[in-house]
Structures are given as C-alpha cells and as structure tokens.
C-alpha cells in the first residue's frame, strides 16, 4: 500500500498546529502579508522555470491537448455542478464550494508526468498537456470559479486585482526573465521546490488558523469529511474511466491514451491552495481546500496503482 504523501503529511501537520495553536491578531495579519509574497514568488519561479517554447510545442498533438483541457476545465465543472444540484443538502455550503473549486483547477505537472512515465505512456505529450493546463489555469480557473460558484465575493474588483498581481504578473515577469535566470532556477530545483512547498504549508496554516478562529470544527463534522471523500472518489473514478474511453474512441495510441488518462484526471494541490487564498475570503479558505487535500491523496494512491498495472502490460 502506498504510504501517505510527505507533502500531504506536512499539510495535515499544519492543520493540526492551526487547530491547537491558531495565529491571531497582529501575527495573523503579518502571516497573511507573508503568504501574499510567497504566492507571488511561487508563480514568478514557475514562469522563470518554464521554457517559452514549451507552450508552442504543447499544441502539436492538438487532439490530445484539447481532450485534456476539455476534461480538466469542462467535464470536471459540469460533474461538480451536477452533483451539487442533485444533492444540495449532502454537504454544508463551504464544503460544496470546496468540491466545486476542486473541479475548476488545472492538472498537476510533476505527478502527471511521473505516473505517465511509470505506465510507459507518452511522456512528451504529458509534459506538454500538464504544462498547458497549468498556464491556462492561471486565467481559466478564476473565471470558472466565478461562473460555477456564482458567488459575488469570489469575483470582485479586488479579486481581479489580486489574481493579476499575485498570479499573472509574477508569472509574466518570470517568463520574461527565463533566458537570464532559467538555468539557475533549474540547477536549484530541489531547494526551490522545498521553498514552494513550504510556502503552501504556510498558506494552509494561516488559512486554517482563521478557519479555527471562525469555528470550522464546529461546522465540519467527520460525516462531512467522509462524504467529501466519497464524492472525490466518485469524481476521480468517473473521469479516469471517461478519459480512458475517450482515448479509445478517438483511436489514440495506447501511450497517448495513458497520457490523457493521467493528465485529464489530476487536480493541482500546488496551484489550488494559493489560488484559494487569493479567490476566497480568509475565513472560508480552510474549509474550501479540504476537498482538494482529500482528492490529492486519492489521486496519488489510485493512479499509482493504475500506473503499475499499465507498466505490467505487454501489448504495446
């Protein structure tokens, strides 16, 4: 059995710490300012790390790339909306917001590529699809959140400014400086990756501190967590089945079908937590990211088993 993802374990530790020792007052305000800087730095490094030509290369196999984008940004939101309309009273409002927010997020990069490689899939296509999904998600995810959640506070003038200054502008600056610092960023990939993850842990701690002060654990029960896990599992299994069937229907090669299956079913925790911090009120961020954290572990566990199954096949 796959052990708990270390990154997720650190996020759970941050939740526990926030539950026992939440930050308040001036300290909370200072940490919120620090998280704003950390989020901007994360997207700056993403821009500096990414080869500009990777964006152009990503559209070569246009049928595969469009299929991934459709699954990520159309299929998932429609599924989330359908479930929330069909079973509106199954979860409290903030948890349903979290499930819908999860459905609006881009695909992962690292795990999609790694699992495609393990499964002997089309790795170059996976790199392009995951990269394109993340770039598109910087713009598409906030728009989808506005449309799907239909919550005025999510897409206010301030939210637009926050998205522009904390996500788009740092990414664009990083891209413009790629030729100068891209090599340095790649050479220091490990420490910078730890910095990225540390920033996300800080965002989670700050968000859950505010949520604890607002009484999150009086609103969210074990039943809510269990139901959310069941909904996440339902979404993951459905999309895995759909993407595999879609690849066969379009007569993709087996390696390309594997790439579609893994890239089209993933949701990015690394992008989702910072975006939630920008798009949602401070008091609700902690609750909103809970479904995403549960989905993150489910996708790692199930897709690792699936990748190993693919790797053992000899028919391609």
């Amino acid at each position: 059995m796959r052990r708990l993802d270390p990154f997720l374990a650190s996020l759970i530790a941050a939740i526990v710490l926030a539950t026992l020792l939440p930050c308040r007052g001036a300290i909370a305000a200072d940490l919120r300012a620090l998280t704003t800087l950390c989020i901007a730095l994360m997207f700056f490094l993403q821009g500096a790390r990414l080869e500009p030509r990777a964006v152009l290369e990503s559209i070569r196999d246009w049928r595969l790339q469009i299929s991934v984008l459709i699954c990520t940004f159309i299929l998932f939101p429609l599924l989330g909306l359908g479930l929330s309309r069909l079973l509106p009273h199954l979860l409290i409002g903030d948890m349903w917001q979290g499930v819908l927010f999860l459905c609006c997020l881009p695909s992962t990069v690292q795990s999609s590529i790694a699992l495609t490689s393990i499964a002997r899939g089309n790795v170059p296509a996976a790199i392009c699809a995951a990269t394109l999904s993340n770039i598109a998600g910087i713009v598409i995810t906030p728009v989808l959140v506005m449309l799907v959640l239909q919550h005025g506070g999510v897409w206010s003038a301030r939210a637009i400014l926050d998205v522009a200054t904390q996500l788009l502008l740092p990414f664009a600056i990083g891209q413009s400086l790629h030729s100068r610092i891209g090599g340095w960023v790649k050479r220091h990939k490990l420490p910078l990756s730890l910095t990225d993850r540390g920033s996300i842990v800080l965002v989670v701690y700050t968000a859950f501190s505010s949520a604890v002060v607002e009484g999150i654990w009086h609103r969210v029960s074990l039943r809510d967590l269990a139901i959310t896990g069941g909904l996440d599992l339902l979404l993951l299994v459905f999309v895995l089945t759909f993407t595999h069937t879609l690849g066969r229907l379009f007569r993709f090669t087996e390696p390309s079908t594997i790439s579609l299956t893994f890239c089209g079913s993933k949701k990015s925790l690394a992008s989702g937590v910072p975006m939630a911090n920008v798009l949602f009120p401070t008091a609700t961020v902690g609750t909103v990211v809970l479904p995403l954290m549960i989905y993150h572990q489910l996708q790692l566990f199930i897709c690792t088993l699936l990748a190993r199954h693919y790797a053992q096949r000899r028919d391609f």
Side-chain angles (χ1 to χ4, degrees):
M1 181 175 290
R2 198 184 198 282
R3 65 189 179 89
L4 184 67
D5 175 45
F7 180 38
L8 185 62
S10 65
L11 295 179
I12 293 173
I15 293 174
V16 173
L17 180 61
T19 300
L20 300 176
L21 295 171
C23 60
R24 303 170 185 266
I27 295 177
D30 290 341
L31 282 179
R32 282 195 290 272
L34 181 59
T35 58
T36 298
L37 291 175
C38 288
I39 290 169
L41 177 61
M42 283 176 56
F43 280 86
F44 169 78
L45 291 174
Q46 284 187 23
R49 190 180 296 125
L50 178 65
E51 292 275 357
R53 63 184 180 186
V55 182
L56 297 176
E57 291 176 353
S58 66
I59 62 175
R60 284 184 177 177
D61 190 351
W62 63 269
R63 290 197 309 155
L64 176 58
Q65 307 307 328
I66 290 177
S67 297
V68 171
L69 291 176
I70 287 173
C71 291
T72 303
F73 296 119
I74 296 179
L75 175 63
F76 262 106
L78 289 176
L79 290 173
L81 276 174
L83 288 171
S84 65
R85 298 288 172 82
L86 186 64
L87 304 166
H89 303 297
L90 192 63
L91 289 172
I92 62 172
D94 287 352
M95 293 295 277
W96 264 127
Q97 282 196 344
V99 173
L100 291 172
F101 174 66
L102 154 72
C103 292
C104 297
L105 288 171
S107 180
T108 61
V109 177
Q110 291 89 346
S111 64
S112 292
I113 296 168
L115 290 168
T116 299
S117 178
I118 291 171
R120 295 189 293 154
N122 187 338
V123 174
I127 293 172
C128 292
T131 300
L132 183 59
S133 175
N134 269 255
I135 295 172
I138 297 175
V139 176
I140 294 176
T141 292
V143 175
L144 278 176
V145 168
M146 174 193 67
L147 295 174
V148 172
L149 273 68
Q150 296 180 353
H151 192 285
V154 171
W155 196 249
S156 62
R158 179 167 182 174
I160 295 173
L161 182 62
D162 288 342
V163 169
T165 56
Q166 294 183 47
L167 308 183
L168 289 174
L169 181 60
F171 182 86
I173 294 173
Q175 273 282 278
S176 68
L177 295 176
H178 172 79
S179 60
R180 296 185 179 183
I181 65 173
W184 181 85
V185 171
K186 289 182 179 179
R187 287 194 301 272
H188 297 83
K189 183 177 180 180
L190 180 58
L192 290 177
S193 174
L194 293 175
T195 301
D196 285 352
R197 294 191 171 202
S199 298
I200 295 171
V201 171
L202 177 62
V203 172
V204 168
Y205 171 71
T206 306
F208 269 91
S209 290
S210 298
V212 168
V213 172
E214 294 291 329
I216 182 175
W217 299 126
H218 295 293
R219 302 194 312 270
V220 178
S221 65
L222 288 176
R223 172 185 173 276
D224 290 321
L225 293 176
I227 291 174
T228 301
L231 290 172
D232 282 354
L233 181 61
L234 179 63
L235 285 169
L236 178 60
V237 171
F238 181 90
V239 177
L240 283 171
T241 304
F242 181 88
T243 49
H244 180 79
T245 304
L246 188 65
R248 294 293 180 88
L249 184 65
F250 285 172
R251 296 184 179 178
F252 289 160
T253 64
E254 192 74 16
S256 290
T257 297
I258 289 172
S259 299
L260 171 60
T261 299
F262 288 127
C263 295
S265 63
K266 294 287 186 303
K267 290 296 178 178
S268 176
L269 181 66
S271 296
V273 172
M275 284 187 177
N277 195 67
V278 173
L279 294 171
F280 292 91
T282 303
T284 63
V285 172
T287 316
V288 165
V289 300
L290 274 174
L292 174 60
M293 293 175 64
I294 295 170
Y295 189 90
H296 175 79
Q297 182 60 23
L298 286 172
Q299 72 181 7
L300 287 178
F301 177 74
I302 292 176
C303 290
T304 297
L305 295 178
L306 187 60
R308 289 173 178 169
H309 168 73
Y310 277 128
Q312 293 170 357
R313 295 177 64 176
R314 299 180 179 178
D315 56 350
F316 63 91

